[in-house]
């Protein structure tokens, strides 16, 4: 399979972003720096050129303070606000991703004269261990459906179809430590995900290993030795071969997880494994391709509701879920979940629905890992206000981490301050970026949407400024 090279994709995205910026240059500043808390905010914020900041009273429909509110900055994981809002706005909070098992050929005397097909729609929760305690539970239900129609032998193999998405399975300009989707915190993205797109290698009672799921189409080179030491599993960024290195002592078990370069093999391998466990002989290999036109659906699996996925995405800043929600929104809007087409489709959605000015928002990916993402505080606040007024407002609010709450990314923020238990927001950080955007109730009872985004070297100091600004809002009384 051919993949669009990341550098080429970066050029495409940069050109599109520049075009949007040119259109945005004609937009007048929409958030003048005047408000009842402006002087106090100015005193708290140091190098103002490194910030974009806006706090907006939704009750009075006016700013409480603003600093460079129309200037676009890198948002880090605040980008997930756009991804989850776009998915809720286009797919709906109760949407469930379908994953289909199909047969491509006739069944004659118990033999399928063709292939089994597993076709995805980008469900990030398919085979996800937090919901399927046994990740093979859903593949086994699919195998049972094939048994019910009398299949005992599959003459062909298993075709894994991720084609609802493009073939770029990792975001543009992701940090080097993601290994193009090899890492656990940012595994690969696919139209046919399975078990977070992680291949697990398990060693028990020696140095022999097994793959989970059983998918020999992903090569594993085992150089693990007995006799202590630290074993680990790695792959190079641009290939699927996994290498086991180091040493193991005792009987184990030892488990190592690596994000698969072509993750569709995992779902295909899981289906073949489930079929064989059910006593169905599968004679062919797992391949990645498109569903034939004559294929017939045998079983359809539905995911958990989208609002549950959104909750995990925002509350715990889950990169894997965010990428899949974003690509699902791209696919719904354009017909194909592509990185190259997502930025302009996202900008158009938020311009039309939330009034975000052209040039103030660019999504290069869904999670915020890419350094090519851009947003202004004004764009973010407009989006938060759109979400606040949407029919799914309560579900969106509940997805945000709560200040000082142990469940979520703000468990160590705002503890024992006026904002604790009140302010709820999306956090964000990558190198040289700290961001915080969400909602807070003032002491006077006003609901405020805010966005504080910093790009610069003093990231530890910037987080302190964000805490101070949040408490400034929480204690404000008109």
């Amino acid at each position: 399979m051919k993949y669009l090279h990341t550098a080429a994709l970066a050029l495409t995205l940069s050109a599109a972003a520049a075009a949007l910026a040119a259109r945005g240059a004609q937009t007048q500043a929409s958030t003048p720096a005047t408000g009842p808390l402006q002087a106090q905010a100015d005193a708290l914020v140091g190098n103002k050129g490194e910030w974009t900041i806006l706090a907006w009273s939704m009750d009075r429909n006016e700013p409480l303070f603003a600093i460079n509110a129309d200037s676009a900055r890198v948002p880090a994981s605040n980008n997930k606000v756009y991804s989850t809002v776009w998915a809720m706005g286009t797919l709906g909070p109760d949407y469930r991703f379908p994953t289909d098992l199909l047969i491509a050929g006739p069944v004659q005397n118990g033999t399928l004269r063709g292939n089994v097909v597993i076709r995805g729609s980008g469900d990030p929760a398919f085979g996800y261990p937090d919901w399927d305690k046994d990740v093979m539970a859903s593949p086994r239900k699919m195998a049972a459906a094939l048994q019910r129609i009398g299949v005992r032998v599959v003459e062909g193999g298993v075709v894994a179809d991720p084609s609802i998405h493009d073939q770029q399975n990792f975001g543009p300009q992701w940090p080097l430590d993601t290994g193009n989707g090899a890492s656990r915190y940012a595994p690969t993205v696919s139209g046919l995900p399975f078990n977070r797109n992680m291949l697990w290698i398990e060693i028990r009672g020696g140095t022999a290993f097994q793959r989970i799921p059983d998918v020999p189409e992903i090569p594993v080179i085992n150089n693990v030795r007995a006799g202590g030491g630290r074993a680990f599993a790695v792959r190079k960024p641009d290939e699927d071969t996994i290498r086991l290195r180091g040493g193991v002592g005792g009987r184990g078990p030892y488990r190592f997880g690596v994000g698969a370069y072509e993750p569709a093999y995992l779902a295909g391998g899981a289906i073949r494994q489930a079929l064989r466990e059910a006593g169905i002989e599968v004679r062919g290999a797992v391949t990645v391709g498109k569903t034939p036109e004559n294929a017939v659906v045998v079983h359809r699996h539905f995911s958990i509701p989208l609002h549950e996925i959104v909750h995990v995405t925002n509350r715990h800043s889950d990169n894997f879920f965010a990428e899949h929600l974003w690509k699902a929104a791209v696919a719904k809007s354009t017909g194909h979940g592509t990185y190259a087409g997502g930025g302009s489709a996202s900008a158009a959605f938020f311009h039309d629905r939330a009034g975000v000015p052209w040039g103030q928002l660019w999504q290069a990916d869904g999670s915020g890992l890419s350094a090519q993402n851009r947003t202004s505080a004004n764009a973010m606040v407009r989006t938060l206000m759109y979400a606040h007024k949407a029919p799914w407002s309560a579900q969106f609010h509940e997805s945000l981490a709560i200040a000082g709450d142990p469940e979520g990314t703000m468990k160590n923020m705002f503890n024992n301050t006026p904002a604790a238990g009140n302010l709820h927001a999306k956090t964000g950080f990558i190198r040289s970026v700290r961001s915080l955007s969400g909602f807070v109730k003032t002491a006077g009872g006003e609901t405020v949407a805010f966005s504080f985004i910093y790009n610069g070297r003093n990231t530890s100091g910037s987080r302190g400024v964000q805490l101070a600004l949040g408490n400034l809002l929480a204690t404000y009384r008109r």
Side-chain angles (χ1 to χ4, degrees), residues 89-384:
T90 57
L91 299 170
D94 298 320
Y95 175 76
R96 294 175 184 261
F97 291 88
T99 302
D100 292 336
L101 184 77
L102 309 94
I103 56 174
V107 178
Q108 299 173 342
N109 299 319
T111 298
L112 170 60
R113 305 292 183 185
N115 295 316
V116 172
V117 180
I118 176 76
R119 179 176 62 196
S121 65
D123 173 16
F126 185 53
Y128 189 75
D130 283 5
W131 286 285
D132 285 340
K133 299 304 180 184
D134 175 3
V135 299
M136 290 296 294
S138 296
R140 287 184 182 124
K141 289 179 182 178
M142 292 180 166
L146 212 59
Q147 278 184 315
R148 286 195 293 271
I149 64 171
V151 175
R152 299 187 299 275
V153 176
V154 177
E155 198 173 58
V158 178
V159 176
D161 182 357
S163 60
I164 192 169
H165 288 182
D166 59 8
Q167 296 171 329
Q168 178 68 22
N169 291 340
F170 48 88
Q173 208 171 318
W174 274 10
L176 293 177
D177 65 355
T178 66
N180 287 353
S183 70
R184 290 194 200 182
Y185 88 92
T188 42
V189 185
S190 175
L192 181 58
F194 181 75
N195 192 12
R196 286 188 70 85
N197 289 345
M198 301 288 293
L199 179 66
W200 289 90
I201 311 294
E202 187 170 282
I203 298 175
R204 290 176 178 267
T207 59
F209 72 92
Q210 70 176 97
R211 302 170 179 87
I212 303 172
D214 183 16
V215 53
E217 285 80 4
I218 297 180
V220 175
I221 299 174
N222 185 10
N223 291 319
V224 167
R225 65 184 184 279
R230 179 177 176 272
F232 57 96
V234 295
R235 73 165 171 84
K236 294 180 179 178
D238 297 317
E239 66 175 39
D240 232 345
T241 299
I242 295 172
R243 292 169 170 81
L244 296 176
R245 296 172 180 166
V248 293
R251 300 187 61 82
Y254 303 92
R255 284 171 60 88
F256 314 96
V258 180
Y261 187 75
E262 176 42 88
Y265 280 122
L266 299 176
I271 293 298
R272 181 178 56 191
Q273 178 179 331
L275 293 173
R276 288 174 174 172
E277 288 175 359
I280 299 174
E281 179 186 354
V282 182
R283 294 176 177 170
V286 174
T287 57
V288 177
K290 291 188 176 182
T291 302
E293 291 185 4
N294 65 341
V296 177
V297 175
V298 175
H299 179 86
R300 173 165 283 179
H301 167 85
F302 286 102
S303 73
I304 59 174
L306 186 137
H307 66 83
E308 292 186 32
I309 299 174
V310 166
H311 183 93
V312 174
T313 302
N314 284 334
R315 185 69 66 98
H316 300 286
S317 203
D318 192 297
N319 295 316
F320 180 76
F321 279 9
E323 293 296 333
H324 286 85
L325 288 176
W326 187 72
K327 277 204 169 181
V330 178
K332 178 69 173 179
S333 300
T334 69
H336 197 202
T338 69
Y339 279 112
S344 56
S346 167
F349 174 86
F350 287 103
H351 174 77
D352 294 344
R353 298 286 186 92
V356 172
W358 296 113
Q360 292 193 24
L361 168 63
W362 181 259
Q363 282 195 279
D365 69 5
S367 63
L369 287 170
S370 175
Q372 294 179 351
N373 292 303
R374 295 290 186 275
T375 185
S376 67
N378 176 47
M380 180 64 70
V381 166
R382 286 173 181 261
T383 297
L384 291 169

